[in-house]
Amino acid sequence: MMFRHVINLAVLGVVSVASLTRCNSTEDHLQDEPTPYGPIPTTAQLNWHEMELYCLIHFTPTTFQNKEWGFGDASASLFNPPRFDANQIAAAAKAGGFKGLISVAKHHDGFCLWPTKTTDYNIANSPWRDGKGNMVKEFADAARKQGLQFGVYVSAWDRNHPQYGNPEYADAYREQLRELYSNYGELFTSWHDGANGGDGYYGGANETRRIDRATYYEWEEKTWPITREMQPTAVIFSDIGPDVRWVGNEKGIAAETSWATFTPVAPDGGKPAPGHIDGQFLGSGQRDGKYWIPAECDVPHRPGWFYHPEQDDQVKTPDQLFDLYLNSVGRGAAFNLGLAPNTEGLLHPNDVASLKGFGEKLTKTFAENLAFGASFDASNIRKGNKKYFGPANLLNDDRYSYWATDDDVTQPELIIELKAETTFDLIRLRENIKLGQRLDSAWVDVWQDGSWQPLAMATSIGASRLIQLDEPVTTERLRLRLFAPVAVALSDFGLFKIAEVDFALQGAARTRADRSLWRVMAGPLRGSDPVLAVDGKPETFWLTNEVDLPVPISVDMGKLETITGIGYLPRQDGNPVGLVSRYVFETSMDGSDWEIVTRGEFSNIAANPILQYVDFGKAVQAHYFRFSIDAVANVTSNRSAVSIAEFEVYGN
Ligand code: FUL
C-alpha cells in the first residue's frame, strides 16, 4: 500500500499548490470548500471513475483450442487468425460506448501477443503476419484511433514457462511488465488476475506447481513500483487493489451497497496479495475502509471469456448489458466487458450488433437530463455562496462542481420543482468524490395528493448511483433528503427515461436430448439423490459426501441417441463445494463396454460457474453414457464432495 500513499500525497500536494493562488479573488471559494472526508481518489483513479466502461479482449492460442484456460502446451503455430482486424474490435467497443480497451497480452497459457525477449512462446514464433506481427501494438493503435484509452492484462500464472515457481520466472514476469509499459504509450490500467498455480505444461514438466501468492511476486516491494514509475497514470487492478478491487464475481454485478473504500485483509491474517484475500467485502467495500479502492465488475459478453462457436447465440443483449451497467456503474463501480474474437480474428456479428444496440440504448437514455430547467430550494447552501456551492451545480456536466452545505448541516433537504410534468424511471446521483465518499444515504420523495411519498433510496452514492424505479413516475415536484456524517458535496442530480432498442440474435439454439427415459446410476454414494442432476431444475443439485475421486455417474438413456456434445451446469447457489474441474466422458451401447469420447478441464469454474459446454466435433451413437469426475476446483487431494446441478447431452 506504500505507493498509493505516495500518490495520495502527490494529489494533496497539487491541492496545496492550488490554495497558494488563493489571493486571486475568483478562487476565494477554495478556502471555503469542505475538508475531504476519509480516503480520496488519486488522479489515476479519477480518470478511471470517469471512464466507467471498458473492454477486455481474450485472444490467444486458447481461442483456437476452443478452451477457457490453455494448458500452456498449444503449439504457437496454431495462432494464425486470417482476418484479424483490431479496428473492427475497437470500433465495435466504441459503438458500445466503451471508453477503453485492455489487451490480454498474456493469459494463463503463457503465450505472449507481443515479441518479447522473456520467452520463445510468443507471437514472433507464430505464422501470423509471418512472425513479424505485434498484436498488442495493433490493439493499442486501434484503441487510440477510436479515441479509447488502452491497458494491459498480463497473467501472473504462466502454465507454459519452465521456470514458473522459481525466482527466475518472477523476474521474467516483471520484465514482461517493463516491456509492455515501455512501448504502448500511456496506459490507463495494469490488470492483475488472481487465478494462480495448479497443473500446467511448464516447459514439458507437465506437473502441478503452486506458489505462495503473498510473497512470490514481491508485489509491493518489486513489482508495483515498476508500474508506479513507468505508468503513473495507470490504476493497478487486482482483487486487493491497490487502486481498483475485483468485485468478487464474474457476473458484472456490484453489491447494492458498494463503498469505494476498502481495507484488504488476507484470509490467514498474513499479507494480502492478488489471489490471497478474504473476499468477504469485495462486493460491498467497507464504509470505514482505509483506502480508496473502488470495485470493477468484470463479465464476459458471452458465457465464457474466450470465443466458443457454440455460444454464438448466447451473447448478452443490449438490455442485459444495460442491466449490468445499472448494477455496476450505477453502484459506483466500473463495467469491464469481456470481448472474444473468433478464430478468424474478428468479433462475431452478434457481438458487434449487441454492442451497437447497447451504445444506442445508453446514448438515447442519457441524451437529456429531464431535470434540466428545474428550480431548487435548498435547506442550506454552504457559506451562502450560491455560485460555488449552490444546487444549480447539480445540473451541469461537471462531476466536480457541487452543492455543499455548511459543516454543521449534515441532513439537508432539497425541493426540486421540475419545469413541467415529467415522466422518468431512472434517477442519477453523484458526489464530488474529490472530497471523498461523504453520504451515508439519499432519499427521494415525490409530491403526491398533497404530501411527500417515498420514491427511492440508496446508500453508497460516490462516483455514480443509478436508481431504477419499478415503474415510470410522472411528477412536477420532488424532494431529496441527504444523510452524511459531515457536510454534503453532491455534484449531480439526473432524471432519465430508459430507452428501448430493437435487437435480435442470429442463430438457433442447440437441441437437448430428451431426458424422460433416463435412468441414473451413481453407485452407493451417500449424499443427495443423483436424479437431481438430470431433473431439469438448475436450482437443485446432486451433492455427494466426501468421496474418493474419480466419481462416476452413469445414465441409461432408454434408447439409442446421437450425441454431439455435453453440458455440465455447476451448482448455482454460489457455494464452491464440489465444482467439477476435470472429467472423462464415455459412451456405451450395452452398459458394459465403454469407449472414451472426450476428457478435459472445466477451467475458471470457481470464478465463473456457468454451463460448461463440450462439443465433440463429431456425432457419437450411444445407449449409455458415463461422466467421471476426476478433480474438483480448489481441492488438491483426491477426496472431495462432488456436485452437479444439471447434466445434458446434445444432438444435432
Ligand atoms: C479470470 C481468469 O482466470 C479468466 O480466464 C479470465 O481471464 C478472467 C478475466 O479472469 O479469473
Side-chain angles (χ1 to χ4, degrees), residues 1 4 45 48 54 56 102 108 152-157 173 177 181 188-196 213-214 217-220 223-224 227-228 234-250 260 262-266 271-279 281-283 285 291-298 334 336:
M1 291 300 136
R4 58 173 287 113
Q45 287 171 321
W48 172 88
Y54 44 86
L56 178 62
I102 306 173
H108 310 325
V152 291
Y153 164 135
V154 196
S155 170
W157 185 20
Y173 178 65
L177 293 178
Y181 294 164
F188 80 93
T189 188
S190 185
W191 211 95
H192 301 271
D193 187 60
N196 210 330
R213 295 173 186 202
Y217 296 94
E218 299 178 85
W219 293 109
E220 285 185 29
T223 306
W224 287 332
T227 322
R228 296 302 191 215
V235 289
I236 298 176
F237 165 94
S238 85
D239 41 12
I240 63 152
D243 300 326
V244 176
R245 70 177 195 264
W246 184 44
V247 77
N249 64 63
E250 292 185 356
F262 177 64
T263 312
V265 177
K271 203 169 173 184
H276 187 64
I277 188 174
D278 174 351
F281 296 109
L282 283 173
Y291 308 100
W292 188 274
I293 312 180
E296 180 205 89
C297 299
D298 63 330
N336 180 5

Side-chain angles (χ1 to χ4, degrees), residues 370 418 420-427 444-448 453-456 468-478 495-497:
L370 302 171
L418 299 173
E421 285 239 304
T422 304
T423 303
F424 58 91
D425 54 9
L426 192 61
I427 302 171
V444 181
D445 308 316
V446 61
W447 185 255
Q448 244 165 26
Q453 302 296 325
L455 180 64
Q468 183 177 12
L469 305 178
D470 292 340
E471 50 191 44
V473 164
T474 304
T475 189
E476 232 176 320
R477 208 161 179 231
L478 292 160
L495 300 175
F496 305 94
K497 177 81 187 55

